[in-house]
Amino acid sequence: MERRGKVGVMVCVMLLLLSPVMVFCAGTQEAKDASAPVEIKVLSPYVGTHSAAEFFDWALKEFSDTHQGTIKVNVEEVPGEQNYVDKIKVLLSTDKLPDVVFSSYNLLDLCVEAGKTVDLTPYLDADPVWNSGFDPATLAYNTFDNKVMGVAYFKRLIGYYYNKELFQKAGIKKPAETWSEFFQQLDMLKNAGITPLSLDTGDSGWITSLWLSSLVGTSGKVGNDFMNRQQPVNYEFPEFIKSVASIQKFFQNYTTGDAVGGKYENGAVNFFSGRTAIIANGTWMVKDFSDPNKAPEGFADKVGIAIYPEGGVFMSAAKGAFCCSKTKSKADAAVEFLKFLTKPETQQHYFELTGESPESPKVEMTDVIKEKYPLVADLFRLSKDAKYFYQYPQAAWYANVTDQLSVLYPLLANGSLSPEDFARKLTETAKNN
């Protein structure tokens, strides 16, 4: 018996050394009372004013009610996306990750690289109904070395919002169809005494990066291929440098004084208050336009939605939630929770509560959603005529590259960094991976 135990431990050690995926060894599992529920820990950013907070509260209650006595979900709330990312990175460094993590920025990539994620492929293979609910492209996007590591329940559909009253005041009849026309509209807004754009530099410059991605992604085949590539290394090409030059013009001529150093929240407040006329963001923002804690009464009626000039729109698969359990019993329980979150019925409820695009092709745009979120319905309609589809940096670029954006955007804005040097520094950063 003693010899068999040593051999088992050696096999586990060898497997862990050879595989980047979490491996379970029977000899390492703790003995549990078979009658007690399996407890799993979940870190959630969906709290407070987060657009998905109501959905997550509902999902947690529904899952807990249907799994009472078998699975207990212990939730630790971490408000703020950047706080969540920082918390997970700390837990990763100390080997104390929770059983379920919601992917934000490049968290899935980081945890896979560290060998802390559970391979979901066997679970998907064993449950054809669950497997068939996903868009194959999303599963491929969450696949590493032929192993599915994450499962998503939404897609990123992102255009930009504009204040119809401010557009009318500036003499703008409809959103621009070309970038040349877009710059003309920025000048029209500015000449009318209106600050055109909400921008930011903090937390990787989310709003600003959406504009940069759209400029690159609609610049032609080279730029569009680049914005659909995972973890690109070379940023020093004409289409990218020209796009960075446009972002520099945005900062220097068409945005607020608090854009440099500001975060997404600053840009959102400026748009809600009517201080700016345009903000780039996803469909999850639609709820905020009717939230009296965020926007003035009647503000939602003033907002229009558009795809980007040259026919561009973000429509990409998302990195999904994933499992980092250390024992098979907890992994099995965590996967049950992921199954619940990602099944089409749950995604339908998520769509209706948040307005964010569902991942599953089995979820439909219902009359309820069209009536509740007309802007979302408008974007779905407009996106059918889009010419270019692409991803945003936080979903495709190396984590250290997106982190560098917060350093480089302010330098670009004040003119101490040229577009060429901006591109060169991103290339240098990417090559460090």
Side-chain angles (χ1 to χ4, degrees):
M1 290 296 291
E2 182 179 351
R3 182 175 181 273
R4 183 184 302 172
K6 290 181 178 178
V7 171
V9 171
M10 290 175 65
V11 170
C12 289
V13 170
M14 290 177 65
L15 285 171
L16 286 169
L17 289 173
L18 291 171
S19 174
V21 184
M22 182 68 71
V23 176
F24 304 112
C25 301
T28 66
Q29 296 185 37
E30 299 175 2
K32 295 287 184 182
D33 182 353
S35 63
V38 178
E39 296 192 24
I40 59 172
K41 184 174 181 179
V42 177
L43 245 65
S44 171
Y46 306 131
V47 299
T49 59
H50 195 290
S51 60
E54 182 183 357
F55 163 76
F56 186 76
D57 289 344
W58 169 86
L60 182 62
K61 184 179 185 304
E62 288 290 313
F63 182 83
S64 298
D65 288 347
T66 56
H67 293 78
Q68 195 168 17
T70 58
I71 300 173
K72 181 180 179 182
V73 181
N74 299 312
V75 178
E76 180 182 344
E77 298 179 341
V78 183
E81 187 169 24
Q82 191 60 49
N83 293 333
Y84 186 81
V85 171
D86 293 342
K87 176 78 171 181
I88 294 299
K89 287 181 178 179
V90 169
L91 295 176
L92 174 61
S93 68
T94 57
D95 196 22
K96 294 181 180 179
L97 288 167
D99 296 286
V100 173
V101 179
F102 295 100
S103 190
S104 184
Y105 292 91
N106 291 296
L107 289 180
L108 177 58
D109 302 69
L110 292 174
C111 291
V112 168
E113 184 179 350
K116 302 300 182 183
T117 50
V118 174
D119 180 9
L120 301 178
T121 311
Y123 294 98
L124 288 162
D125 291 343
D127 191 339
V129 174
W130 186 39
N131 198 339
S132 66
F134 293 102
D135 182 340
T138 301
L139 291 180
Y141 187 57
N142 285 272
T143 297
F144 298 76
D145 294 329
N146 297 316
K147 299 177 177 65
V148 179
M149 297 300 191
V151 283
Y153 48 90
F154 59 84
K155 285 185 177 179
R156 295 301 192 191
L157 181 64
I158 304 174
Y160 72 87
Y161 302 99
Y162 61 94
N163 187 312
K164 292 184 287 187
E165 283 191 357
L166 297 182
F167 265 40
Q168 184 177 14
K169 182 180 177 181
I172 300 171
K173 295 181 179 180
K174 63 178 183 178
E177 295 183 2
T178 67
W179 286 110
S180 176
E181 184 184 358
F182 185 75
F183 272 96
Q184 291 175 11
Q185 291 184 353
L186 296 182
D187 285 329
M188 291 171 71
L189 287 163
K190 187 175 181 180
N191 291 337
I194 301 165
T195 303
L197 295 169
S198 282
L199 296 178
D200 57 356
T201 63
D203 295 345
S204 301
W206 168 253
I207 304 171
T208 303
S209 294
L210 293 179
W211 289 110
L212 175 59
S213 301
S214 294
L215 285 157
V216 178
T218 61
S219 63
K221 186 178 187 307
V222 172
N224 188 255
D225 287 348
F226 176 83
M227 287 311 306
N228 282 293
R229 189 177 306 147
Q230 285 296 299
Q231 299 176 335
V233 174
N234 180 29
Y235 295 77
E236 297 174 88
F237 59 97
E239 291 84 352
F240 188 83
I241 293 171
K242 182 180 179 181
S243 299
V244 174
S246 292
I247 294 297
Q248 189 173 52
K249 290 179 183 178
F250 284 0
F251 274 122
Q252 294 178 347
N253 299 286
Y254 302 117
T255 193
T256 56
D258 63 354
V260 175
K263 298 182 179 181
Y264 160 77
E265 290 79 7
N266 301 89
V269 168
N270 286 329
F271 184 69
F272 294 145
S273 65
R275 190 182 176 195
T276 59
I278 300 171
I279 188 170
N281 205 10
T283 54
W284 56 86
M285 192 183 194
V286 170
K287 282 184 65 177
D288 295 344
F289 301 147
S290 302
D291 186 342
N293 296 315
K294 295 183 178 180
E297 184 178 355
F299 182 73
D301 296 330
K302 300 179 182 180
V303 180
I305 197 166
I307 60 175
Y308 295 90
E310 312 296 346
V313 67
F314 294 87
M315 184 182 287
S316 63
K319 291 291 172 69
F322 54 99
C323 173
C324 294
S325 300
K326 292 184 178 181
T327 68
K328 189 176 187 305
S329 61
K330 286 184 177 291
D332 291 346
V335 169
E336 285 301 311
F337 187 56
L338 294 180
K339 284 185 180 182
F340 177 81
L341 289 177
T342 56
K343 67 180 183 179
E345 296 84 357
T346 303
Q347 290 190 43
Q348 186 75 54
H349 195 66
Y350 179 78
F351 196 10
E352 292 175 359
L353 280 179
T354 67
E356 188 166 6
S357 310
E359 186 285 329
S360 176
K362 296 183 177 181
V363 178
E364 299 179 349
M365 171 71 75
T366 63
D367 289 338
V368 172
I369 296 171
K370 291 177 182 178
E371 183 177 351
K372 188 176 181 180
Y373 302 116
L375 289 174
V376 175
D378 286 347
L379 186 58
F380 268 79
R381 175 180 54 81
L382 292 168
S383 66
K384 291 180 180 179
D385 296 324
K387 180 180 178 181
Y388 294 105
F389 301 92
Y390 41 86
Q391 301 182 81
Y392 50 94
Q394 289 84 350
W397 297 358
Y398 284 111
N400 63 337
V401 175
T402 56
D403 289 344
Q404 186 76 344
L405 291 173
S406 290
V407 177
L408 300 182
Y409 279 143
L411 301 177
L412 183 73
N414 67 26
S416 62
L417 189 70
S418 69
E420 291 79 5
D421 286 339
F422 185 99
R424 177 178 56 78
K425 286 185 177 295
L426 290 186
T427 298
E428 291 173 353
T429 302
K431 287 182 177 179
N432 288 332
N433 292 282

